[in-house]
């Protein structure tokens, strides 16, 4: 077993932070999971995803309300984690002058240990957002945003891409901080690739941009990046090909819109639609005859659930249903 920990200061009283740890209801900050069970010694917790799937199970080892809780947990969301032995997770909340200090520690074997090293800090940043109304207020939607400029992500804009994903993209959902949009280009499955770190994703995507292997767009407002769209010829998007089990022969002359990220204060202002329009025109100029998109089926209400773009946006842009999958709808639009 290996051990590790992450700590953070939160401008909220310990009982408020404790409530976020043990109260019933959706944990937006904790992978959008909902606990089912009692946070009492000997209690058993099932952590449910948005579709009712069990992503994690925990047994409560010890509770000292409102300061400490220890859990023996198994992650079930992917085979390598489900095959690992249970790990212990401890949350400690201490009163400090500014509010609370939270320490999250664990004892685990790989791949769980590597996952917590990579993503644990993002989890407690999400906890701070949940408990601190001032931190949340800084991310509220702006009433007006001004003019939006859409630019191509070229090698000279690598630093702008990095700034967006380092500091802006997931401020309201730190659990996705590691992504850097590498999933669009990752040929291996999660099981084959193992735990992907933020540093590795950042480095490989930056290299892809520098080598012109990545085609993406940034939405800029006042000189700052506020939105992102990853798109391109489908056969060059390895993650899309893998995720949706696409055959190269069926994708000849087809492009794909893979994903969107819009900074929380800029949502609801049509930024994603402007990015989509730009991606369509760029693919048309390259001679692509059809363009695909992969929105979730009806029922996804969160920005994270709609990261491939909402169905309604594609319908407004003239896309039509092409094929239905278990969780997504393949939409197509003729360009020629």
């Amino acid at each position: 077993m290996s051990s590790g920990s992450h700590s953070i200061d939160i401008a909220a009283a310990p009982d408020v932070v404790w409530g976020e740890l043990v109260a019933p209801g959706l944990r937006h900050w904790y992978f959008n999971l909902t606990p089912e069970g009692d946070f009492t010694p000997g209690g058993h917790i099932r952590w449910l995803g948005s579709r009712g799937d069990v992503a994690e199970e925990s047994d409560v080892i010890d509770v000292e309300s409102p300061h400490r809780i220890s859990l023996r947990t198994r992650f079930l969301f992917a085979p390598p984690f489900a095959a690992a032995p249970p790990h212990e997770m401890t949350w400690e909340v201490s009163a400090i002058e500014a509010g609370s200090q939270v320490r999250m520690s664990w004892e685990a074997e790989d791949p769980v240990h590597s996952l917590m090293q990579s993503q644990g800090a993002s989890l407690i940043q999400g906890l701070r957002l949940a408990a601190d109304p001032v931190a949340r207020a800084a991310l509220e939607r702006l009433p007006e945003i001004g003019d939006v400029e859409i630019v191509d992500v070229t090698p000279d804009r690598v630093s702008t891409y990095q700034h967006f994903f380092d500091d802006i993209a997931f401020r309201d959902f730190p659990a996705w901080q590691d992504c850097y949009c590498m999933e669009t280009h990752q040929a291996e499955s999660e099981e084959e690739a193992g735990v992907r770190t933020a540093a590795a994703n950042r480095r490989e995507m930056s290299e892809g941009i520098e080598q012109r292997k990545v085609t993406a767009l940034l939405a800029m407002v006042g000189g700052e990046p506020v939105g992102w769209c990853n798109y391109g010829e489908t056969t060059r998007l390895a993650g899309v090909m893998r995720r949706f089990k696409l055959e190269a022969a069926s994708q000849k002359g087809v492009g794909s819109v893979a994903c969107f990220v819009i900074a929380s204060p800029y949502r609801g202002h049509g930024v994603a639609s402007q990015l989509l329009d730009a991606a369509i025109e760029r693919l048309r100029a390259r001679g692509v005859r059809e363009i695909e998109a992969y929105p979730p089926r009806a029922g996804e209400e969160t920005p994270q659930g709609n990261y491939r773009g909402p169905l309604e946006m594609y319908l407004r842009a003239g896309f039509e249903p092409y094929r239905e999958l278990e969780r997504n709808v393949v939409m197509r639009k003729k360009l020629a």
Side-chain angles (χ1 to χ4, degrees), residues 62-321:
D62 183 43
V63 179
E64 298 175 15
S65 177
H67 297 298
R68 187 177 185 277
I69 183 168
S70 294
L71 307 170
R72 182 174 292 109
T73 290
R74 290 181 64 228
F75 292 146
L76 304 175
F77 56 82
F81 295 97
H87 60 278
E88 291 192 10
M89 182 80 69
T90 300
W91 296 83
E92 296 170 283
V93 183
S94 304
I96 59 175
E97 185 175 353
S100 303
Q101 183 177 84
V102 177
R103 181 174 183 266
M104 179 189 71
S105 59
W106 66 88
E107 292 186 2
E109 294 184 6
D110 278 332
V112 175
H113 174 64
S114 295
L115 178 72
M116 298 314 300
Q117 279 188 313
S118 175
Q119 297 189 7
S122 297
L123 288 178
I124 59 175
Q125 289 168 16
L127 174 61
R128 177 171 58 186
L129 282 177
D132 181 359
V134 175
R136 289 197 305 275
L139 302 177
E140 289 181 356
R141 178 180 179 270
L142 293 168
E144 297 180 359
I145 64 171
D147 294 334
V148 177
E149 178 188 10
I150 307 298
V151 300
D152 295 289
V153 182
T154 49
D156 61 316
R157 291 197 172 101
V158 168
S159 62
T160 308
Y161 150 78
Q162 293 171 342
H163 172 45
F164 180 65
F165 280 94
D166 287 346
D167 307 315
I168 299 171
F170 298 118
R171 285 184 63 199
D172 69 318
F173 197 67
W176 279 17
Q177 185 68 48
D178 288 7
C179 124
Y180 287 89
C181 211
M182 188 62 201
E183 187 266 354
T184 298
H185 302 277
Q186 184 179 316
E188 306 95 339
S189 68
E190 289 83 351
E191 184 171 352
E192 295 167 331
V195 176
R196 296 280 309 185
T197 66
N201 288 338
R202 186 182 192 270
R203 181 184 64 254
E204 291 181 30
M205 275 294 289
S206 297
E207 291 172 352
I209 294 169
E210 290 169 346
Q211 298 166 9
R212 298 186 183 275
K213 295 179 180 179
V214 172
T215 46
L217 301 166
L218 282 166
M220 309 289 293
V221 174
E224 280 284 285
V226 303
W228 161 272
C229 173
N230 202 339
Y231 75 101
E233 296 170 41
T234 310
T235 53
R236 298 183 63 182
L237 304 176
V240 173
M241 295 287 289
R242 170 184 53 80
R243 176 73 65 180
F244 298 109
K245 298 180 173 59
L246 304 177
E247 298 292 336
S250 69
Q251 301 304 123
K252 185 177 180 180
V254 178
S256 291
V257 179
C259 71
F260 294 86
V261 183
I262 311 299
S264 55
Y266 295 86
R267 294 176 191 148
H269 290 286
V271 175
S273 292
Q274 292 185 59
L275 287 164
L276 175 61
D277 290 345
I280 291 171
E281 291 310 309
R282 282 157 172 77
L283 287 170
R284 191 194 307 275
R286 293 179 194 172
V288 171
R289 58 180 175 80
E290 288 186 276
I291 183 170
E292 276 189 354
Y294 314 94
R297 300 178 70 165
E300 291 291 354
E301 302 296 336
T302 67
Q304 292 73 41
N306 276 320
Y307 78 100
R308 296 199 187 274
L311 178 62
E312 294 79 7
M313 179 178 70
Y314 294 115
L315 291 171
R316 290 195 304 269
F319 285 70
E320 297 179 351

